[in-house]
Amino acid sequence: MKVAIFGTGYVGLVQGAVLADVGHEVMCVDVDAAKVAALQAGQIPIHEPGLQPLVQSNQAEGRLRFTTDAAAGVAHGELIFLAVGTPPDEDGSADLQHVLAAARTVARHMQGPKTIVNKSTVPVGTADRVAATVHAVLAERGASIAFEVVSNPEFLKEGAAVADCRRPDRIIIGTASSTAEHQLRALYAPFNRNHDRMVVMDVRSAELTKYAANAMLATKISFINEIANLAERLGADIEAVRRGIGSDPRIGYSFIYPGAGYGGSCFPKDVKALIHTAHSTGFAPELLQAVERRNHAQRELLGERIIAHYGGSLSGKVIAVWGLAFKPETNDMREAPSRNLLQALWAAGALVRAHDPAAMDEAHRIFGDRPDLTLCASPAEALQGADCLAIVTEWKIYRVPDFAELARLLADRMVFDGRNLYEPDLVARHGLGYYAIGRPGSLPRTVLPTTLPKL
């Protein structure tokens, strides 16, 4: 099938490459000429395992092309995907200007029937707005051309996006059109052979499904972080609790790992947008607001622990930081907990020596050159001259360190673990102090209750 994709970010680029890899003819359109030139040269602007060879091989075979020519893209595609950004607006709502601009572009250039597929994460009712936008432009042109607008939300995990796209858990299709459904079934047939993964529903339900899925996962994270904070105050171990509740198949082990809070381009934005949508209907989303509040507090927790340990000031202290991306296997630092930590450390007077396997260039782009930040080429280099270590991202490279070497290099022999990578007893045996999230001994004594509550 001939497919045009407007937008070459995470979603558009991965979706385009994977569709091309099964034989579809894909043309990706973007307004950023420099980005398109880089993609045409085989340069991938994001860190995503397996994506670069996938793009390069399908370009070489002629099934995947990149262009700034919107008219060519519209002419090429019988299916036209909108995969542009929907950043949060000042009030927390999703900003639809790029989606509607892409819809106008499609309407200006279409000469025959098209199926427009909303792949971007958009609020309920966006398909109606896209349809109204296309109708308005066609009316201005005096053209009467048939089209459909379909909701087909993405469920990709950064760091595993290629695998998720190739082997989707489900393919959500929102449409009332049998013609559009038939087209999408044909498009996704190569990914639907083992069993039927397609779930067809009305457009508004499909739009809400995406937000509900991300809000549910964010809720699980904030819930386990809430219980972790309680465990610290009760002298319980959240890792034991996590295993205990995760063994219940109704709960499961996924997304119940306590830590420094969630980040990235999806969960924070989507929870905020869903809260805004709820308010716009006159409904108070109390659970979602609590999820967001807990996450905001959790993202500050690691910095608060370090500052409290040192009595409120980090003047003259050098803090080694392992992990800057919001999760492993990506260079994405949008809403990353590391950004909260670094700002807190700098405000308290600390110098930071940081390492991340993928996000060093992104960190330099965000923070620039500053005297209180040294970006280091390896985890070991970050430890040089450091007083303590803070772990923010659970990259595999950090999972089995040489604890004797940590004890030798860290002047204050302290580890602040925002991802619970290590067993406290193992760390202690090497003479290191250890603060984790919800584990025994993690709270400064000044924060611990003087007596445990009576049952």
Side-chain angles (χ1 to χ4, degrees):
M1 299 182 73
K2 295 183 182 298
V3 180
I5 299 179
F6 279 70
T8 56
Y10 259 102
V11 176
L13 186 56
V14 173
Q15 186 71 73
V18 170
L19 287 175
D21 200 49
V22 297
H24 298 303
E25 297 179 27
V26 180
M27 182 179 290
C28 292
V29 182
D30 203 289
V31 297
D32 187 335
K35 187 177 186 181
V36 167
L39 288 167
Q40 289 171 338
Q43 299 169 13
I44 308 302
I46 55 178
H47 177 88
E48 188 62 43
L51 181 57
Q52 184 160 352
L54 194 67
V55 169
Q56 291 174 342
S57 64
N58 282 283
Q59 272 186 292
E61 294 174 17
R63 291 190 299 269
L64 179 62
R65 290 179 285 165
F66 300 96
T67 184
T68 58
D69 187 343
V74 174
H76 169 83
E78 54 189 300
L79 287 166
I80 300 177
F81 281 74
L82 307 185
V84 296
T86 54
D89 216 334
E90 292 181 2
D91 60 2
S93 63
D95 185 348
L96 296 179
Q97 63 173 314
H98 302 303
V99 172
L100 299 179
R104 283 190 290 271
T105 299
V106 172
R108 279 196 298 270
H109 296 293
M110 59 190 287
Q111 300 299 321
K114 300 291 180 182
T115 296
I116 300 169
V117 183
N118 271 340
K119 200 70 179 174
S120 302
T121 300
V122 292
V124 175
T126 298
D128 294 340
R129 294 185 63 182
V130 168
T133 299
V134 174
H135 274 302
V137 174
L138 290 177
E140 291 171 4
R141 291 174 52 194
S144 178
I145 302 173
F147 69 93
E148 300 285 350
V149 179
V150 178
S151 175
N152 174 217
E154 56 83 16
F155 296 94
L156 306 180
K157 299 185 294 292
E158 289 190 37
V162 172
D164 286 345
C165 204
R166 281 173 160 165
R167 293 180 291 277
D169 297 317
R170 73 286 207 197
I171 303 169
I172 303 294
I173 304 297
T175 184
S177 164
S178 59
T179 300
E181 180 184 340
H182 177 76
Q183 285 180 300
L184 271 296
R185 284 191 178 278
L187 180 76
Y188 287 122
F191 312 97
N192 208 31
R193 292 171 63 86
N194 186 32
H195 64 272
D196 190 2
R197 294 177 169 86
M198 292 193 70
V199 183
V200 182
M201 59 185 73
D202 64 276
V203 173
R204 285 180 169 248
S205 295
E207 291 171 332
L208 183 56
T209 296
K210 168 62 178 180
Y211 277 107
N214 278 355
M216 182 70 243
L217 297 175
T219 299
K220 292 185 74 173
I221 296 170
S222 281
F223 173 81
I224 199 66
N225 282 333
E226 186 102 323
I227 299 301
N229 279 272
L230 182 59
E232 291 176 351
R233 289 157 174 81
L234 295 175
D237 186 345
I238 192 59
E239 288 301 308
V241 175
R242 178 186 65 79
R243 292 191 296 271
I245 67 173
S247 61
D248 185 331
R250 297 170 300 174
I251 299 172
Y253 293 103
S254 297
F255 288 85
I256 58 167
Y257 289 86
Y262 60 75
S265 64
C266 295
F267 289 3
K269 172 177 69 72
D270 292 352
V271 170
K272 192 180 296 293
L274 193 53
I275 289 171
H276 180 273
T277 296
H279 283 310
S280 72
T281 68
F283 176 71
E286 296 180 5
L287 177 59
L288 295 176
Q289 290 172 317
V291 167
E292 187 177 48
R293 285 196 302 271
R294 166 45 51 207
N295 193 60
H296 284 164
Q298 203 72 18
R299 285 153 56 97
E300 302 293 341
L301 186 60
L302 199 57
E304 291 170 355
R305 290 284 168 82
I306 296 171
I307 293 168
H309 175 81
Y310 286 107
S313 173
L314 299 178
S315 180
K317 292 295 180 181
V318 178
I319 315 296
V321 174
W322 283 358
L324 296 170
F326 87 93
K327 63 181 287 188
E329 302 301 337
T330 181
N331 63 341
D332 195 343
M333 289 182 62
R334 287 174 287 184
E335 300 281 346
S338 65
R339 298 176 70 160
N340 298 70
L341 174 63
L342 265 57
Q343 294 295 345
L345 296 179
W346 290 328
L351 303 178
V352 174
R353 297 178 59 83
H355 171 264
D356 188 282
M360 303 297 276
D361 290 342
E362 181 67 2
H364 186 263
R365 184 190 69 80
I366 293 169
F367 299 118
D369 295 315
R370 48 186 300 164
D372 49 7
L373 174 63
T374 303
L375 297 173
C376 302
S378 68
E381 184 182 335
L383 298 173
Q384 298 297 321
D387 294 290
C388 69
L389 168 65
I391 301 168
V392 195
T393 314
E394 63 276 29
W395 285 93
K396 290 179 181 178
I397 195 174
Y398 305 143
R399 290 180 181 270
V400 190
D402 184 336
F403 289 109
E405 187 72 357
L406 286 182
R408 185 183 71 82
L409 290 174
L410 297 174
D412 297 334
R413 295 191 169 193
M414 286 300 309
V415 176
F416 298 87
D417 185 355
R419 297 298 172 187
N420 288 6
L421 294 186
Y422 313 131
E423 284 300 320
D425 290 345
L426 175 62
V427 181
R429 284 202 299 272
H430 288 86
L432 290 159
Y434 185 60
Y435 285 161
I437 307 294
R439 309 217 64 182
S442 292
L443 273 179
R445 295 194 178 277
T446 54
V447 180
L448 283 169
T450 53
T451 58
L452 291 177
K454 294 182 179 179
L455 300 179

